[in-house]
Each structure stands twice: as structure tokens, then as C-alpha cells.
Amino acid sequence: MVARKFQVLHNDSNYDLEYDTDDGFEVFQFQLFSLTFVPPDQQKIYVDEDDTLVATDSDLLAISDKLRLISIEDEPQPQSNTDQSLQSLSDEKLAKLLQEEEEALMLQQFMAHGDPQEFEHRIRPYVKQVLMYEDAVRQEAARKTVPMEELEEKALVSLAKEGNFNPSKIERDHAFLLQLLFWFKKSFSWVNAPACQDCGNTTVGQGMTAPDPSETCFGASRVELYRCTHCSQLTRFPRYNDPIKLVETRKGRCGEWANCFTHYCRSFGYESRLIVDLTDHAWTECFSHFLGRWMHLDPCEGIYDKPLLYEKGWNKKLNYVIAVAKDGTYDVTKRYTRKWHEVLSRRIMLTESSLSSILTVITKECRRGFAPQQLSMIEARDKEENQEIERSVHTEDDESLSLPGRRSGDEEWRKSRLEMGSDKDGILSTSACPVRLCIDEHVTRIYNGFRPVLHQFVEEELTKSEAVKVLGIIKGIILDICNSPFKTRRTSIDSVLKDPKWQKCLPSFDDLLEALSLKKQNTDGRVEICLAGNPVLTSLALPVVLNALDDMIYNLNKCDSYGKDSITLPLLKLNRIHSGSVIASAEELPFGIATSAFDGTWISKWEEPNGARGGWIMYKTSGNKMFELAAYEFMSANDAPERDPMDWVLEGSNDKGISWRVLDNQTSQFFEERFQRRTFLINSGSFPANLFRFRFLAVRDVHSNSRLQLGSIDLYAKSM
């Protein structure tokens, strides 16, 4: 351990910061955040004497103790031209790249041996294909297969989890598109070899055969033939191109996946393109008005806005990536590479000028008949896109982002294509975890809402089995609410009111209903539970209360003596701290982020991709309010017991992270089940703090696994 003191200048104010060099650079950034409220992902730190940029791998032992902090948002914005976008590259590196690109272009003049017409013939069928997406009958057929209300609810909940309860239409549309992608990933099937159409057993390929009329009418120019390993019957696998047939079959490989998903996007009004990678892959781009640019979406992988997935994740050797839309064809290869000079050396099918001419001719044909105003808008967007692509091609990649190898398709097939990548787990992760806000006040309100319920049980002298029965009744009501339309949730409780014990306990559930934005209401002589406010608040809270009910029933059944003295942790979870901010050593994107540990549900988790031998998560209270911790709870995640934490230290700080006090230390801990909650009492004496840090030292199995994961973390104060 080495302690250093720094003086940091920010916005004409000086801040003194004491730093333990063993904690890592991320902790240093978080301490700066505590002092200046500049999030780590927005920080630029310079040595004040010579303006040297302090990077994540800088040796903080060796640099000056006088630093200067600038927020990225406060820096002058670069001009929108290619030269300004290259400022992040050193002059020497940029000069080398430009020289390599020039040499590759010169070599292309001699190496390009393909027939431009052959290239054109490869692209033109896709133009006809995307025009089918505009057909009203096909669009309606696609929309009928989508659970639109379910996806709309998930989109609104995803925004609410970020604190956005009143999103604009642009934000709603963007969130719905992502949910459409996730739904499609689950609903469409990848076909390595089709199951036998007679007995359902496995098949092996027998080559190709000619399509019959029923197959050609849906664009199947190729049909694969497979023989059953059990009954020897033949099974045909037509490679359909008509999206109306793909909406019905919901199966195929990357061509069918991209074709069908792009059609779904158009069916919901998104400006969409089919992306054709001539090294044998296909995906989708949609114009996101939320981002103000075209966004990459790969339905096979369920990944979005990660255009370097193929080059960096799959180790693909790209050459031509062509976008095909109803308004033309575009060469978008530069969006998907940071090694343009290497890509140029492989673009030998035709020269760059020939490629541009072909795409321009096709585009002009596509735009015939467009109104002048529409043409003007499209051409302006084309210009902006070209500028954006040129800016991006030489920007340095975010080295903290780990992109997975290919996950779709048979493993041996992926290996043969050399697309497995270096990440054997196939996980999208980042070590540059931003500060995230916990939108979890509803979790605390739900936990508190059980207090009058349990006290009513004791007052009415319900036996343990009777109390469990009443909780089972309320769970049934909540499930009925869950199964009703999310915008008009309601269910009748007349039938359960016949139970006298439930009738007596009903008033005690008022606080819980309020926490769910629900209320009791008399309607035409019936007693109903219905919405009391924003339906998104209810959608956000329902999974939490169902998990809390299961947990309470479990803890009640475990009680040896059920009574007034037993209404404490873990049965009753009072004074839960909420609405703070979180940062972690790393996280998995998009479903294993740090705030997933604080959302109160079993369906999510925080995952640290490299945390098996060490990781951390830090919680800062809302408004820097001080709390004395009474206890905390961990819940094991849904799978992979080897990733459970085993050894950890909990520390608190009340001086903005300058110094830390150990509040709890655990070793050789073991979770016997998935979704198991364990409560740990704090016995370290009185210590109010507004910053809490868990340092995880080891997981259950550090030899076969590199990851750390937790289903949930709950912090409980002695008083609120």
C-alpha cells in the first residue's frame, strides 16, 4: 500500500485527494467523481505542469501531485470534418495509416481482376428483395406475429430503469426497436441441419436439389437435402427469400435472419437497410432518430450498435459491406473497420471508382420518381453519413470494450470459419463502467409495505400456515394483475373476500398496493384491484413484489417460532437504502450492468467478466446522506455457482473515499441454492458513511472460471 496526496484543479477550484495506489485507477476516478461530480467516463485528467494526459494505465506513483481535471462535456467540440476527427491519433501514427491506405489503393489498380458486372449481379437481387419489405400485405403479416403490447411494456420499463418515466416518442421508438431485436432473437430458430420431417430425429446433409414450384414461389432458388440418421427419410430445407414465408417458418441462417428482421423493422416504420457482407454474413441497420445516425443491429447475435463486432470480436477479414435499401445502395464498409488499409488490400474484385459507379447507378434507379423534397432530405442525410463514416474510420477503438466471437451456428462450423473470437464465453463486456443511478425506490417501498401485513398476522394470531396461505392469496392476485393488459391492469377479488381471515387482513395490504401504484375500487358492486397511477410504475414493481412474496413465504416457513419477536431481518426488510449511484470494476453489457444488483428482481444480475480473482462495486448514497449500516443481503444469481462470491470485504467512507473503514469481512462463504438470499449483520460499531465499497477477493471456483456474479445486493441502515 502506497498513499499519495494530489491537488486537483477543476473549474477554478482546488481539491485535495488522498489515494491508495493499491486501489486501482478506477477508484481514483470515482474519488474525483465524489469531489467534483464529473463522472469517470467524462473525465480527462492532465498533469498540470506539462499537460500530459493521465491514462488508465498511468503510473500514479511517478507523476506530479498537481493535476487538472476537465469534463469532456466542457471541452470545445471538434468541427465536423475528417481532419478534426483524427486528433486522437498521433501525427506519426496517422501519417503511417494514410501512407498504407495510399499504397493499398495503388496496388488495387493492378490487383483488381474481377468483372464489375459480376459484382453488380451479386448486389441487384438484394434490391428486389428489400422492395418486398414495402408491401402492405407482407407488413401486416409480420405485425400480426409480434406481441406488440408486451414489447411496448418492456421498452417503457427499460426506460424507467434509467429514470425516464415520461419518454418522448423518439425515445420510445428507439427502446421498442431494441425490444423487437431481443424478441426476434428468441423467436427465430437457427438451422444447422433440420430435424427429420417424419420422425423428428437428427439429419445429415446430402447436398443440393432443385426447388419445386411451391418453393420457388417464395423465392427459394436453392434447396438443401438432408437424410435422417434414424429412419433414412429425406428432408428438404428450402432457402426462402420472401419475408412473408420467413415470418411463417421462423427459421434459417444469417441470410434468412437478416432478411426477416429487416422486414420486421420496416413493418414498424423504421428506416431500415439490409446489410450484405460479401465475406458471408448479413445483418440490419436502422436509422435511430434518438442517436441521430444509422445503428447496427445483428439479429443472429442479439447485439446492437457494435459495428466492430465482426472485425474485433469475430476476427473477420472484411472486404465489401454494402447497405441495400429502398432508396439505394451504399458502401458502408468503413463503419465496420478500424483497419481500413488492411481491408483495402482485400478489395480486389473491382476498383473503388468502379464500385462507386455501380452503386451510384443502382441508387439513381431506386430514387426515380422521388419527390424533389424527399430527394433533398435523403441526399443531405447521405452527406452527413459519409462525413460520419470518414470520421469514424480512423478513431481509436475503445480498448476497454470486449467484443464476443460468433455465437450463432454450430460450434464446428464457427471454428471452420475462424469466427469464434478470443472470448470463449461470447460475452459483451466493458471495464470502463460508468457511474449508474439506481432507480430502486419502489423496491424499498415494497419491502416496507410488508410491515403492516406481518404485524396484522401477529395481531390476528394467525398460525404460520395461515399466514403463508394469506400470502399465497395475495400472490395469486398479483399474478392475475400481471396477466392483465399493462395499460388497464385490474382484477376482481370478490372470490377471495369470502375467506374471513383474508378479509380481516385486507386493509393491511394498502401500503403494499400503494407501492405498486395499485388501489382497491368498488365497480358495479364488485371489489377490484386496479391501477392508481402510471402503469409503467406498476410494471416496474410487479416482478419485485412477486420475488419478495416468494422470499417472505420461504422465510416464514423457516421460522422456528413465528411471532412478534421474529419480525426482523431477514423476514422483514426495513430501512433499505435506495436511489444512490453505483460504479464497478467492470460489467457485462447490456444485461449484467452494475445497477442490476439493486433492482430487486431475480431475473437480473450484476456480472463482472474478470472478477473471479478480484473485483469491486461501490455505492454512493443519494445526496451524500450518511447512514450507519445494520446489515446487508446478497442473493446468488440464476446460474453458474462457480461465479458466486466466496471471500469479500465491505468498507465504508465518510470523507469522499479518501479513507476507508472495514465494516465486515467474510471468507469461505457458500450459497447452497440459486436465488438464495443470505443476510450479514454489521458488528463493527457505529460508523456513519455515505460511500460503501465491496471488494470481492475470490469466487467459489477461481480455477475453472474468470467471472463474478451476484443476483442482488441490499444495504440496510439502522435508521432512515
Side-chain angles (χ1 to χ4, degrees):
M1 170 178 158
V2 179
R4 286 213 58 189
K5 292 184 178 180
F6 292 96
Q7 189 177 76
V8 182
L9 174 66
H10 174 64
N11 286 347
D12 299 324
S13 297
N14 282 300
Y15 300 89
D16 294 323
L17 187 152
E18 187 172 318
Y19 169 69
D20 180 350
T21 55
D22 289 342
D23 285 341
F25 189 78
E26 293 91 348
V27 176
F28 180 74
Q29 290 181 295
F30 193 86
Q31 288 178 234
L32 283 176
F33 167 64
S34 300
L35 292 167
T36 65
F37 296 100
V38 177
D41 59 324
Q42 293 290 318
Q43 293 176 5
K44 275 198 173 182
I45 307 165
Y46 296 90
V47 176
D48 199 36
E49 297 170 353
D50 56 12
D51 277 349
T52 302
L53 181 66
V54 181
T56 55
D57 58 352
S58 297
D59 185 357
L60 292 177
L61 282 170
I63 64 176
S64 166
D65 58 2
K66 291 188 177 181
L67 304 176
R68 181 164 49 86
L69 172 66
I70 293 176
S71 170
I72 291 174
E73 292 182 347
D74 295 336
E75 288 192 309
Q77 295 299 308
Q79 299 175 10
S80 58
N81 59 60
T82 304
D83 292 337
Q84 289 292 326
S85 72
L86 305 179
Q87 290 178 358
S88 61
L89 291 174
S90 68
D91 291 342
E92 182 180 351
K93 186 172 182 179
L94 177 58
K96 183 180 178 182
L97 284 174
L98 294 176
Q99 178 64 30
E100 288 173 337
E101 290 172 15
E102 185 177 344
E103 291 172 357
L105 279 170
M106 291 177 63
L107 185 62
Q108 187 189 72
Q109 302 297 317
F110 299 98
M111 295 292 292
H113 52 70
D115 181 357
Q117 286 189 337
E118 181 182 344
F119 181 90
E120 182 176 352
H121 290 157
R122 290 187 66 175
I123 298 300
R124 280 195 176 275
Y126 294 107
V127 177
K128 293 181 180 179
Q129 188 170 306
V130 300
L131 291 178
M132 287 192 286
Y133 306 157
E134 307 306 309
D135 178 63
V137 173
R138 289 180 170 90
Q139 289 188 359
E140 180 62 20
R143 287 192 293 268
K144 283 181 177 178
T145 65
V146 178
M148 287 187 279
E149 186 172 85
E150 176 187 333
L151 298 193
E152 182 184 356
E153 179 185 7
K154 288 182 175 180
L156 292 171
V157 168
S158 71
L159 291 167
K161 286 183 175 181
E162 298 173 358
N164 187 352
F165 289 92
N166 294 291
S168 65
K169 184 180 185 305
I170 287 175
E171 291 168 325
R172 294 197 306 270
D173 288 346
H174 182 79
F176 184 89
L177 176 60
L178 300 186
Q179 294 303 323
L180 184 66
L181 173 71
F182 303 147
W183 168 82
F184 186 86
K185 169 68 175 171
K186 292 180 180 179
S187 66
F188 214 79
S189 299
W190 183 275
V191 177
N192 294 307
C196 176
Q197 62 187 13
D198 287 346
C199 68
N201 280 292
T202 58
T203 62
V204 292
Q206 302 294 301
M208 307 293 289
T209 189
D212 62 32
S214 68
E215 294 162 337
T216 54
C217 72
F218 291 111
S221 59
R222 297 176 298 141
V223 177
E224 299 170 1
L225 207 59
Y226 292 84
R227 186 174 298 280
C228 180
T229 58
H230 179 72
C231 69
S232 297
Q233 291 296 313
L234 292 175
T235 294
R236 301 167 69 87
F237 178 46
R239 303 301 301 275
Y240 292 117
N241 283 309
D242 192 327
I244 199 168
K245 188 65 175 179
L246 296 176
V247 164
E248 174 193 327
T249 64
R250 298 195 186 202
K251 62 184 180 182
R253 302 197 192 107
C254 62
E256 289 91 345
W257 280 65
N259 184 7
C260 193
F261 180 68
T262 310
H263 175 57
Y264 271 110
C265 293
R266 283 299 301 135
S267 298
F268 283 97
Y270 295 98
E271 297 172 80
S272 310
R273 299 165 164 176
L274 179 65
I275 308 300
V276 180
D277 160 27
L278 294 195
T279 60
D280 193 24
H281 190 46
W283 58 90
T284 304
E285 281 184 357
C286 286
F287 191 85
S288 168
H289 292 277
F290 176 71
L291 298 174
R293 56 175 171 78
W294 289 95
M295 181 174 69
H296 150 259
L297 302 108
D298 190 313
C300 300
E301 306 297 292
I303 289 178
Y304 64 92
D305 206 23
K306 295 292 178 290
L308 298 186
L309 172 68
Y310 313 107
E311 182 175 83
K312 186 179 178 184
W314 299 14
N315 197 30
K316 228 176 189 306
K317 307 303 180 186
L318 299 170
N319 53 18
Y320 299 92
V321 181
I322 308 300
V324 186
K326 66 174 184 177
D327 55 20
T329 52
Y330 309 82
D331 179 9
V332 293
T333 312
K334 287 184 178 180
R335 176 174 289 130
Y336 295 91
T337 182
R338 294 297 177 269
K339 301 176 182 178
W340 177 237
H341 61 290
E342 293 183 14
V343 172
L344 270 173
S345 69
R346 296 190 289 269
R347 285 164 68 101
I348 56 175
M349 294 178 67
L350 69 171
T351 64
E352 296 302 297
S353 59
S354 295
L355 172 64
S356 178
S357 296
I358 290 171
L359 298 182
T360 299
V361 167
I362 297 175
T363 297
K364 285 182 178 178
E365 292 175 7
C366 292
R367 295 180 182 179
R368 274 191 204 133
F370 282 21
Q373 185 177 4
Q374 184 182 9
L375 275 175
S376 179
M377 291 175 60
I378 294 173
E379 288 167 359
R381 180 178 290 178
D382 290 348
K383 184 177 179 180
E384 289 180 8
E385 181 183 16
N386 289 334
Q387 291 175 344
E388 177 235 323
I389 288 178
E390 290 297 333
R391 286 196 301 270
S392 67
V393 72
H394 288 126
T395 55
E396 292 188 304
D397 186 23
D398 182 0
E399 292 301 323
S400 69
L401 188 65
S402 173
L403 292 165
R406 187 169 192 156
R407 290 175 285 183
S408 53
D410 177 77
E411 183 175 346
E412 290 304 315
W413 178 74
R414 285 179 282 150
K415 284 180 179 178
S416 70
R417 295 163 63 95
L418 304 176
E419 293 177 351
M420 295 288 285
S422 58
D423 183 358
K424 61 180 174 53
D425 292 320
I427 297 296
L428 178 64
S429 62
T430 177
S431 59
C433 175
V435 175
R436 299 187 184 277
L437 295 178
C438 294
I439 309 300
D440 63 335
E441 183 179 359
H442 61 285
V443 181
T444 299
R445 292 183 65 204
I446 288 168
Y447 288 1
N448 292 343
F450 280 106
R451 182 176 188 172
V453 175
L454 289 174
H455 281 285
Q456 183 74 16
F457 288 173
V458 173
E459 186 177 319
E460 295 295 329
E461 298 182 343
L462 268 64
T463 64
K464 186 165 66 174
S465 61
E466 288 174 331
V468 168
K469 180 182 177 182
V470 171
L471 291 176
I473 290 172
I474 192 68
K475 182 180 177 181
I477 292 171
I478 296 298
L479 287 171
D480 287 342
I481 289 286
C482 288
N483 294 328
S484 61
F486 88 96
K487 292 181 181 178
T488 57
R489 294 191 191 277
R490 64 177 60 244
T491 188
S492 171
I493 60 171
D494 283 347
S495 59
V496 299
L497 285 174
K498 297 174 183 177
D499 187 317
K501 291 189 180 297
W502 160 248
Q503 199 170 33
K504 281 187 177 181
C505 292
L506 181 60
S508 68
F509 284 95
D510 286 347
D511 287 356
L512 191 59
L513 291 176
E514 186 179 349
L516 298 171
S517 292
L518 296 172
K519 63 182 179 182
K520 295 194 297 288
Q521 178 176 287
N522 286 309
T523 305
D524 298 328
R526 297 187 310 159
V527 181
E528 292 184 328
I529 304 292
C530 60
L531 290 173
N534 187 341
V536 179
L537 291 171
T538 304
S539 296
L540 188 64
L542 284 172
V544 178
V545 75
L546 285 172
N547 294 164
L549 279 164
D550 284 341
D551 192 49
M552 182 161 288
I553 291 169
Y554 174 81
N555 285 321
L556 262 178
N557 283 322
K558 281 182 61 178
C559 283
D560 294 328
S561 57
Y562 162 64
K564 186 175 181 180
D565 294 337
S566 64
I567 305 180
T568 58
L569 272 169
L571 187 60
L572 184 58
K573 309 172 189 296
L574 295 179
N575 300 329
R576 179 184 178 274
I577 301 172
H578 61 84
S579 303
S581 55
V582 180
I583 191 170
S585 50
E587 61 184 6
E588 179 193 329
L589 300 174
F591 301 118
I593 61 175
T595 47
S596 294
F598 298 89
D599 64 8
T601 68
W602 295 2
I603 57 177
S604 61
K605 61 184 176 183
W606 166 55
E607 187 165 351
E608 217 283 23
N610 300 298
R613 296 180 182 273
W616 54 266
I617 191 167
M618 200 179 307
Y619 184 95
K620 180 183 178 184
T621 64
S622 175
N624 288 316
K625 186 176 179 181
M626 297 288 180
F627 293 102
E628 289 184 46
L629 277 195
Y632 64 94
E633 281 189 320
F634 282 172
M635 184 182 73
S636 58
N638 62 318
D639 62 0
E642 66 274 11
R643 301 175 185 173
D644 291 344
M646 183 176 68
D647 303 337
W648 65 84
V649 177
L650 168 60
E651 300 166 312
S653 174
N654 55 18
D655 57 5
K656 300 179 180 179
I658 295 173
S659 60
W660 295 88
R661 175 169 171 174
V662 174
L663 304 179
D664 191 45
N665 193 340
Q666 298 290 337
T667 58
S668 302
Q669 295 300 318
F670 183 78
F671 291 84
E672 297 175 349
E673 303 170 7
R674 300 301 84 204
F675 306 120
Q676 179 187 1
R677 287 186 182 271
R678 297 194 56 196
T679 305
F680 300 90
L681 302 179
I682 303 296
N683 300 309
S684 58
S686 176
F687 184 75
N690 59 5
L691 200 59
F692 300 98
R693 177 173 69 183
F694 288 97
R695 288 193 292 113
F696 299 98
L697 309 178
V699 297
R700 182 166 165 179
D701 187 350
V702 298
H703 301 294
S704 65
N705 160 64
S706 66
R707 297 178 177 275
L708 159 73
Q709 66 182 25
L710 265 173
S712 71
I713 301 172
D714 293 295
L715 302 171
Y716 300 100
K718 290 182 179 178
S719 62
M720 296 295 279

